[in-house]
Amino acid sequence: MHQHRLVLGAALCLGLAAAAPGVAAAERKCEFTAAERETAEITLASVQAAMPGLIQRYAIPGAAVALVSNGHVRWTAGYGWAIPDKRIPFSPDTVFQAGSMTVPITAWTLLHLVERGRIKLDEPVSKYLRGRDLPESPFDADQVTPRRVLSHTAGLSIPSYAGFGPKQSLQTLDQSLRGALDAGDQPVAIVAPPGTGFQYSAGGYALAELMVRQMANEQFAKMADRQVLRRLDMFRSSLPDRPDAAPPLAVTYDDAGNPAPARAFSALGAAGLQTTAPDYARFVAALMPGPCGEPPGRRVIKPELVQQSREPQPDTDNSLIFAGSRYGLGMAVKTLPGSGNTLLYHPGENPPNWHGLFAAVPERQSGMVVLTSAPGGREMGLALLCTWLGALGETLPGECAGMN
């Protein structure tokens, strides 16, 4: 079963042009050049050809995929069965838990408050917690700044959250920060010297969620929905307290391949996003200029802040997926071999087996999103990313060896 949508440049660009005040009509370039069309067609053909075999190779029920070309969502498709017992296929409208792909959305929500002057990236986070200070530690809490929180260099605890089952009581964010029951009862605390190295911290993004709530005087989920999701037309995306039913949510599976309940998260800013492949691709497109003169950020945040989010931050060397990566504000950054182009990416995982991945090469105005819900999804996503990079003409990182 395969459902897809193809969005051609001219029709979409007419709509975008109408929504782009301040850009002179003569400056708008709402059509692909021949070279851009060729690149878009090659990547589309490569992904379409690869998907059935990848689903079979990694023994997953299916997936949803979206491609960005020339700075807009060009194509999206679903493959396989989202809810097999009801014969409901994966489609562009299938909803998935995005896991840590929530992190870039949280970063942009906080950067919106930076743009408004309510938060400064290099001030101590204590200024924005309004009395909810971090626990005492041997380390200097004043060195924990929003920039370091967003770049995972603040030395904070809790690499991931397990979430809560449908029959378990859900903690509030404040309770979770003091001791997360879905992370071994750990508090969000400073466990390493801030500013000395990369240490992925889902707990840090729970703290970012608190900063947004305190400085916006609004619940984080509402703020993110109003200022980021809706402005990017991500209308099927949300940050709910409890996961949606299936459908619209896909069925997820345990490690034995049996259907398993989706889990809820107190730390919405770390793991709480529900989304579709084309919705998330709209965020990916907003990392770069649009085809009709739309600025990066699409007026969610200024282009200057988009650039900051894409730039490697100090002390962020990591191997989140690819060795030699660094980290910006909410996303990993890798210089590709050969071309020297920039690969922006972030995986997303929630238990039991939600696996997703986004990637973008801004110099090529291209991006991709893949979302899955079963064991094998992580490996399938990486193999698809390698296929896509190869179709763009990029020299593949070493981790792609043997994937295709």
Side-chain angles (χ1 to χ4, degrees):
M1 178 61 65
H2 170 207
Q3 296 192 357
H4 73 94
R5 296 177 190 158
L6 181 64
V7 182
L8 295 177
L12 180 64
C13 292
L14 288 173
L16 290 173
V23 180
E27 295 175 354
R28 291 180 182 145
K29 181 169 70 73
C30 293
E31 295 286 351
F32 288 145
T33 65
E36 289 166 342
R37 283 187 179 277
E38 182 180 12
T39 297
E41 289 165 2
I42 290 171
T43 54
L44 174 57
S46 295
V47 167
Q48 286 179 322
M51 277 301 299
L54 291 176
I55 287 172
Q56 185 175 15
R57 181 193 305 177
Y58 294 102
I60 62 173
V65 187
L67 294 179
V68 172
S69 297
N70 200 29
H72 79 86
V73 183
R74 184 175 190 270
W75 171 85
T76 181
Y79 293 83
W81 298 103
I83 306 176
D85 63 343
K86 296 181 180 179
R87 305 301 285 173
I88 297 176
F90 282 106
S91 78
D93 294 326
T94 302
V95 177
F96 297 77
Q97 286 194 353
S100 50
M101 286 168 66
T102 306
V103 159
I105 302 299
T106 302
W108 273 36
T109 305
L110 189 146
L111 289 172
H112 174 77
L113 294 176
V114 171
E115 183 174 312
R116 296 177 67 181
R118 295 190 183 183
I119 292 177
K120 294 183 178 180
L121 285 171
D122 298 310
E123 294 289 327
V125 298
S126 57
K127 292 188 175 183
Y128 311 118
L129 301 181
R130 293 187 172 175
R132 291 170 171 81
D133 294 334
L134 291 164
E136 290 188 12
S137 80
F139 308 106
D140 184 359
D142 284 347
Q143 296 302 308
V144 178
T145 65
R147 184 185 303 278
R148 286 174 172 161
V149 169
L150 296 184
S151 61
H152 299 290
T153 58
L156 295 175
S157 59
I158 307 183
S160 65
Y161 291 99
F164 296 87
K167 295 182 179 180
Q168 292 179 296
S169 297
L170 187 64
Q171 287 182 294
T172 66
L173 175 64
D174 290 341
Q175 289 170 338
S176 179
L177 289 165
R178 292 194 297 268
L181 296 178
D182 57 340
D185 206 23
Q186 294 180 78
V188 175
I190 312 171
V191 295
T196 60
F198 181 89
Q199 180 171 308
Y200 191 92
S201 173
Y205 272 77
L207 195 68
E209 176 184 347
L210 177 63
M211 283 189 275
V212 168
R213 189 189 77 189
Q214 297 296 80
M215 300 313 296
N217 292 315
E218 184 175 11
Q219 290 297 316
F220 169 78
K222 291 183 179 179
M223 174 74 171
D225 180 69
R226 184 168 54 84
Q227 296 296 346
V228 180
L229 302 181
R230 289 186 178 274
R231 289 188 176 195
L232 293 177
D233 294 336
M234 296 172 66
F235 294 118
R236 294 187 65 82
S237 300
S238 63
L239 291 144
D241 290 334
R242 290 281 183 180
D244 288 345
L249 197 69
V251 170
T252 188
Y253 301 85
D254 63 22
D255 289 344
N258 301 309
R263 301 180 72 79
F265 293 84
S266 300
L268 294 176
L273 181 68
Q274 290 186 171
T275 192
T276 66
D279 260 20
Y280 204 91
R282 293 182 179 95
F283 167 76
V284 175
L287 292 168
M288 57 195 85
C292 304
E294 305 88 345
R298 304 298 193 272
R299 283 167 288 280
V300 173
I301 58 174
K302 291 180 179 178
E304 295 81 4
L305 285 173
V306 176
Q307 185 60 34
Q308 279 202 58
S309 74
R310 291 169 29 175
E311 289 178 347
Q313 299 297 306
D315 306 304
T316 58
D317 292 349
N318 71 84
S319 300
L320 199 58
I321 291 179
F322 298 111
S325 295
R326 299 180 70 189
Y327 204 89
L329 302 178
M331 64 197 72
V333 185
K334 163 77 174 175
T335 300
L336 290 167
S339 68
N341 287 337
T342 299
L343 174 68
L344 307 173
Y345 71 89
H346 212 287
E349 299 188 359
N350 269 355
N353 270 297
W354 300 98
H355 302 287
L357 177 64
F358 95 81
V361 181
E363 293 90 344
R364 295 186 179 272
Q365 293 286 91
S366 297
M368 62 153 282
V369 175
V370 57
L371 298 170
T372 69
S373 61
R378 180 190 303 111
E379 295 79 8
M380 192 282 289
L382 176 58
L384 186 65
L385 170 56
C386 295
T387 296
W388 173 76
L389 282 173
L392 284 176
E394 295 289 346
T395 301
L396 298 183
E399 288 82 356
C400 290
M403 297 298 294
N404 298 309

